[in-house]
Amino acid sequence: MTARRRGRFGRWLAKFTLKLALVATIASAALVLPWRWLPPPTSAFMLREQLAGRTIYQRWVPYRSISRNLVLCVIAAEDQKFAAHSGFDLDAIARATQEKRARPRGASTISQQLAKNLFLWPGRSFVRKGLEAYFTVWLEQTWPKRRILEVYLNVAEFGPGVFGAAAASDLAFGKSASEVTLSEAALLASVLPSPKRMSARRPSAYVYERAGEIERIARGLGTHFVAGL
């Protein structure tokens, strides 16, 4: 290839890359930005259940209608640095990569979990994790922390086909999401890592033990910990 052709190819490649980046940016904005203000009508995980023919239980409730007990317990269980980080808990990631475990410890923040639940699919592939990181950056850069938490608490899976705080509180305790006690909130938060195997409605000994630990952490943090969110 002559220098002239290489120059033309380089300019074409640069233009193509810029166009591709512009298309990716516009598509990402269309996927992410509307839900900064509007309740998402569904999520990737809900669609997955529906396509499998399973019934979905979910009802949107605003952040003000979710008990601070549940907010506190979810943060205590899933992401105690939520208010401080920019989407990624680097210390947790470092610990997870250093530990030698049959099942690696999770290091995903609430923001990462929301990106996965809203837009992606379960799994540990590099492609999925890369897209998760990409959408996490978008969420953290364009949504306030309270909105990230609000949407997460409305789309997180708390049981087979049970999504969001409202449905979870109603089915587990016959209460609205605003009424759950600290102990009940700890039970709900305890099943988040594996909602298809663990139940807040019929807790196993392990779930009770985990809920007790979450409640102790939540009491140590105190409700003032979430007051500014």
Side-chain angles (χ1 to χ4, degrees), residues 115-179:
K116 177 183 69 175
N117 289 349
L118 268 184
F119 305 119
L120 303 171
W121 62 92
R124 295 182 177 275
S125 71
F126 288 114
V127 171
R128 212 280 338 240
K129 293 300 289 185
L131 288 170
E132 178 186 294
Y134 175 78
F135 281 112
T136 297
V137 172
W138 264 92
L139 291 173
E140 284 280 344
Q141 293 300 312
T142 60
W143 294 15
K145 286 286 188 177
R146 177 178 288 196
R147 182 60 176 175
I148 291 173
L149 195 56
E150 179 180 41
V151 176
Y152 176 75
L153 287 167
N154 274 282
V155 302
E157 189 173 14
F158 287 90
V162 181
F163 292 87
S169 302
D170 182 36
L171 291 173
F173 310 117
K175 293 182 174 182
S176 70
S178 64
E179 296 173 324

Side-chain angles (χ1 to χ4, degrees), residues 1 19 42 78 85 91 139 146 152 154 164 166 172 205 216 229:
M1 185 183 291
K19 288 178 180 178
T42 188
E78 297 292 294
H85 64 61
D91 292 335
L139 291 173
R146 177 178 288 196
Y152 176 75
N154 274 282
R216 285 191 290 275
L229 292 173

